[in-house]
């Protein structure tokens, strides 16, 4: 009898394996930009689709000059709230699509890697939708540097203009550790010897760096090939919090079988509950049709609002050109 999915996959082992491998396979996790926070795991596993996270605002106001005849004036500390949104995603695959992986020495690991690679791509896609929405929020304009309207070389991405993008963070700019860009932008910088490739201590992978910032390359990043306009996101470590959730009523991994199929058809079902939250930018729930938001709804700027002070938001958006338009 041929090997079936239920012969090689134990859901209680498969689920944590896929979660861990998903994080290992993603450059965003490896770079420290997205951090899996145990507190967010608990929040993602708790009730409701919205998670309120109160925090204390920083102390403000001028200090008072001491005087023997004057009493000090007591100041108060105020609180605000950040809000994260839970996501619920699922997919199903037929065993025929996985047949080639059943012949390996470690079939569960092979299938797990296939599924983990899928979720790594999906999570990155959801993160990019999140950032598009975040930077469409009305109070995030001071976190964007757009030089596409400048003339000549000043409109191009370069070491100098990249320093200007870092300067959006002011004296907190050293918190930025990574940058995400389209492969065409990475190639443009590499041709000008602005990309340094560092060999991993173990393995054969070379990691690109630009101005001492780790580069994450993703062709889902915006790049207008006609007008040669690109975008990059600059990140600080831990800018995005990840929470992997679970619930007793949501079965994360299931195996099913279609007995009516003449040769039989096995199915693998995988479900994910999670939080993928840019710290300090709250979800407003202004426009969501169903229980969990779609990528299009996540991209809607009306669903986001900055609550931290700008310097505490460890993300910057940079728009630039890679070619000066003719006659400009």
């Amino acid at each position: 009898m041929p090997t079936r999915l239920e012969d090689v996959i134990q859901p209680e082992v498969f689920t944590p394996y896929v979660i861990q491998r998903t994080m290992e396979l993603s450059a965003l996790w490896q770079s420290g930009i997205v951090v899996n926070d145990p507190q967010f795991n608990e929040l993602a596993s708790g009730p409701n689709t919205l998670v309120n996270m109160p925090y204390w605002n920083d102390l403000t106001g001028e200090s008072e000059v001491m005087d023997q005849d004057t009493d000090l004036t007591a100041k108060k500390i105020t609180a605000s709230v950040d809000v994260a949104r839970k996501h619920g995603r699922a997919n199903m695959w037929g065993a025929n699509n996985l047949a080639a992986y059943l012949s390996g020495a470690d079939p569960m690991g092979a299938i797990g890697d296939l599924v983990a690679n899928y979720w790594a791509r999906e999570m990155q896609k959801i993160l990019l939708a999140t950032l598009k929405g975040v930077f469409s929020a009305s109070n995030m304009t001071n976190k964007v540097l757009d030089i596409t309207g400048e003339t000549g070389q000043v409109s191009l991405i370069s070491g100098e203009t990249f320093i200007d993008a870092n300067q959006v963070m002011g004296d907190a700019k050293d918190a930025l550790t990574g940058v995400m860009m389209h492969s065409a932008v990475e190639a443009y910088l590499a041709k000008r010897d602005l990309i340094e490739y560092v060999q991993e201590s173990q393995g054969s992978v070379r990691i690109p760096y630009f101005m001492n910032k780790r580069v994450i390359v993703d062709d889902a990043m915006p790049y207008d090939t006609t007008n040669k306009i690109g975008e990059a996101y600059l990140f600080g470590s831990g800018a995005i919090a990840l929470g992997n959730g679970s619930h007793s009523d949501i079965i994360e991994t299931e195996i099913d079988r279609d007995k009516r199929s003449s040769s039989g058809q096995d199915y693998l079902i995988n479900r994910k509950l999670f939080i993928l939250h840019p710290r300090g930018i709250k979800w407003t729930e202004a426009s969501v049709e169903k229980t969990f938001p779609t990528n299009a709804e996540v991209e809607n700027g009306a669903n986001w609002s900055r609550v931290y002070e700008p310097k505490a938001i460890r993300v910057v958006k940079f728009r630039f050109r890679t070619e000066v338009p003719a006659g400009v």
Side-chain angles (χ1 to χ4, degrees):
M1 182 181 234
T3 303
R4 303 195 184 281
L5 284 178
E6 60 266 30
D7 298 325
V8 298
I9 290 182
Q10 300 176 29
E12 65 275 12
V13 176
F14 184 79
T15 296
Y17 178 88
V18 168
I19 290 173
Q20 184 60 36
R21 285 293 291 155
T22 298
M23 293 189 290
E24 290 174 359
L25 292 165
S26 172
L28 288 164
W29 276 258
Q30 293 171 7
S31 65
I33 291 167
V34 178
V35 173
N36 183 209
D37 190 323
Q39 180 185 11
F40 273 77
N41 289 345
E42 293 182 16
L43 295 173
S45 302
N48 302 321
T49 56
L50 296 177
V51 178
N52 292 321
M53 299 172 288
Y55 64 93
W56 294 112
N57 294 314
D58 202 358
L59 301 179
T60 59
E62 298 292 329
S63 59
E64 299 181 37
V65 177
M66 288 190 293
D67 184 276
Q68 64 179 356
D69 299 320
T70 305
D71 293 336
L72 295 172
T73 303
K75 314 299 190 302
K76 65 180 180 179
I77 187 171
T78 59
S80 297
V81 63
D82 192 4
V83 181
R85 188 54 158 91
K86 291 182 184 177
H87 294 275
R89 300 292 174 104
N91 213 331
M92 180 174 74
W93 298 272
N96 288 343
N97 297 329
L98 305 170
Y101 290 84
L102 294 176
S103 60
D106 180 13
M108 190 182 79
I111 295 171
D113 281 354
L114 185 69
V115 175
N117 269 298
Y118 167 80
W119 283 119
R121 294 191 302 270
E122 278 296 290
M123 297 291 274
Q124 198 148 307
K125 190 185 302 181
I126 294 166
L127 176 59
L128 285 176
T130 296
L131 292 172
K132 183 176 180 179
V134 160
F135 282 100
S136 298
S138 59
N139 61 352
M140 282 291 288
T141 55
N142 55 358
K143 297 291 296 180
V144 179
L145 177 64
D146 187 347
I147 60 174
T148 57
E150 301 291 339
T151 58
Q153 299 294 312
V154 184
S155 67
L156 303 180
I157 183 171
S158 65
E160 289 187 0
T161 58
F162 190 70
I163 289 173
D164 292 337
N166 279 264
Q167 188 57 33
V168 170
M169 291 285 289
D171 58 11
K173 58 191 172 187
D174 287 344
L176 299 176
T177 57
V179 56
M180 193 172 187
M181 62 180 65
H182 193 280
S183 64
V185 177
E186 181 211 16
Y188 171 88
L189 295 171
K191 289 177 182 178
R192 286 152 182 81
D193 294 325
L194 294 173
I195 296 287
E196 178 185 6
Y197 294 93
V198 178
Q199 195 79 23
E200 276 190 332
S201 57
Q202 296 179 347
S204 58
V205 177
R206 295 191 310 158
I207 299 174
Y209 283 82
F210 174 45
M211 301 290 289
N212 296 319
K213 305 286 189 289
R214 176 166 178 166
V215 176
I216 296 97
V217 179
D218 192 326
D219 280 345
M221 284 292 295
Y223 184 70
D224 182 344
T225 56
T226 301
N227 297 304
K228 306 298 183 183
I229 293 176
E231 294 182 5
Y233 292 120
L234 287 67
F235 295 94
S237 180
I240 311 296
L242 168 69
N244 290 304
S246 62
H247 193 277
S248 58
D249 293 332
I250 304 294
I251 301 174
E252 294 165 284
T253 299
E254 286 189 283
I255 307 297
D256 200 5
R257 179 169 172 75
D258 183 0
K259 297 179 181 178
R260 294 174 297 177
S261 173
S262 60
S263 60
Q265 178 77 11
D266 291 338
Y267 297 101
L268 170 64
I269 301 123
N270 206 211
R271 303 180 179 91
K272 288 180 72 68
L273 289 171
F274 60 95
I275 292 172
L276 196 61
H277 184 65
R279 294 178 184 272
I281 307 163
K282 75 173 183 179
W283 178 267
T284 66
E285 197 75 0
S287 178
V288 179
E289 184 177 345
K290 296 183 178 180
T291 305
F292 295 107
T294 63
N295 283 1
E297 289 168 335
V298 171
E299 290 177 356
N300 185 348
N303 282 320
W304 299 98
S305 180
R306 178 180 58 79
V307 289
Y308 284 9
E309 65 173 33
K311 289 182 182 179
I313 306 292
R314 286 168 278 177
V315 187
V316 171
K317 180 179 177 179
F318 182 30
R319 294 189 78 243
F320 49 81
R321 294 182 183 273
T322 57
E323 184 179 297
V324 178
V328 177

